[in-house]
Amino acid sequence: MTGHTIKDGYITLVLTPEQVRLGDITDHPDGPLRIAEITQRRSTWTLGGKHPDDYTPIQELETPPLVRHVVGWDAVRIHRRPTHGETLRTPGHARTIKSHNPVRRGCYTHVDGWDASCSCGWASPTNPHLRGKSAATEAFRLHQVEVLTAGTVDKHPNLAQIEDIEQQLGERLVWEWRNGHASVELAGDEDAIRDHMGRWASALDVEVIENENRHCTPPQRLLRVSAPMSATWGSSAGINLRAELAMADAVI
């Protein structure tokens, strides 16, 4: 599973391609992709880059080893680590950094660490921070990251369920959101596809649906897993897995 979590300082966002920026990390069938190139061709955007642990530079005019194509009106899951000194806007969360148990000694004040807290009532569980004021500031910054990630979940409630299931199954799929509805297109080996479908169907407490499509060439068998819509989510926040198998390769 990815190490790009709140504890690592990463905000989880669901963004359209035009909102993505260089350095963001998104999902790819071969693992996480750190974006180093963003191109647009009509309505399709291409996010290119490499695995976050691959520090080999991409040469000028070289095609990135990993690419992901996204339609402009779809949104993708992004992990973004704010740059040092970047201002994070979290309305309703005012920072308070103050000295812990200051003691006046002559011309000097001895500070026994620093405390970080927020106007929302949050206080750093590691108060006092003995490594200096910067450590307390970083603790508040992680709180802001948590607040911004929670805001993403509020807007896309199916994201929380998806990530819970991914954590249980030990895998990450390449999701896309359209009008709040999360979907993924599975490809590759039929046995692997059916294994994915079965495990997600079990986790979502639904069944795998198979349909034939003989109106295309060659005829195909469509596999689909759809989660029931939650009344609290609204009608446009479902979860859908889909795959197409050629009839000649499908198990009948």
Side-chain angles (χ1 to χ4, degrees):
M1 297 299 290
T2 182
H4 310 111
T5 63
I6 292 173
K7 292 190 297 183
D8 304 306
Y10 285 88
I11 306 167
T12 298
L13 303 165
V14 175
L15 304 175
T16 58
E18 64 179 350
Q19 297 172 310
V20 173
R21 64 191 190 193
L22 299 179
D24 287 346
I25 295 173
T26 190
D27 303 312
H28 187 275
D30 294 333
L33 182 162
R34 185 182 297 279
I35 299 169
E37 178 180 285
I38 304 171
T39 57
Q40 179 188 10
R41 295 177 179 85
R42 296 187 177 180
S43 61
T44 300
W45 295 66
T46 300
L47 310 177
K50 301 181 301 179
H51 190 279
D53 294 333
D54 183 356
Y55 297 102
T56 306
I58 299 176
Q59 302 300 320
E60 186 175 1
L61 302 181
E62 178 186 1
T63 301
L66 299 177
V67 295
R68 178 178 179 182
H69 304 293
V70 185
V71 178
W73 48 82
D74 287 347
V76 299
R77 175 169 50 187
I78 290 292
H79 300 292
R80 174 178 294 172
R81 188 170 190 174
T83 58
H84 180 71
E86 180 180 355
T87 300
L88 298 180
R89 301 187 181 278
T90 48
H93 297 268
R95 179 183 69 179
T96 299
I97 305 294
K98 63 181 181 180
S99 55
H100 179 82
N101 192 27
V103 178
R104 184 77 175 179
R105 293 178 179 173
C107 298
Y108 302 96
T109 300
H110 174 72
V111 177
D112 188 20
W114 295 84
D115 293 339
S117 60
C118 179
S119 60
C120 71
W122 171 89
S124 173
T126 53
N127 285 338
H129 295 267
L130 304 179
R131 293 186 294 110
K133 191 174 183 179
S134 60
T137 302
E138 180 61 22
F140 177 77
R141 192 171 179 81
L142 289 178
H143 169 61
Q144 288 182 294
V145 167
E146 185 176 15
V147 168
L148 291 170
T149 297
T152 300
V153 173
D154 287 343
K155 295 178 182 178
H156 305 277
N158 46 17
L159 174 63
Q161 185 178 15
I162 286 171
E163 296 198 330
D164 284 345
I165 296 174
E166 287 179 332
Q167 189 68 34
Q168 295 171 23
L169 301 181
E171 66 180 12
R172 289 174 69 85
L173 300 182
V174 185
W175 296 95
E176 294 182 356
W177 277 260
R178 180 177 295 183
N179 298 323
H181 189 95
S183 62
V184 60
E185 187 85 22
L186 299 180
D189 179 73
E190 180 187 342
D191 291 337
I193 289 174
R194 289 183 177 276
D195 179 59
H196 278 300
M197 288 283 189
R199 290 186 291 141
W200 276 85
S202 177
L204 292 167
D205 195 23
V206 296
E207 295 182 354
V208 178
I209 300 172
E210 292 195 36
N211 294 309
E212 294 182 1
N213 182 2
R214 298 184 177 275
H215 299 289
C216 61
T217 304
Q220 293 179 330
R221 185 175 291 274
L222 176 65
L223 275 65
R224 183 165 51 88
V225 170
S226 294
M229 302 297 184
S230 168
T232 58
W233 291 358
S235 60
S236 60
I239 299 174
N240 184 65
L241 291 85
R242 185 176 181 277
E244 292 181 351
L245 301 174
M247 289 291 288
D249 300 327
V251 175
I252 301 177

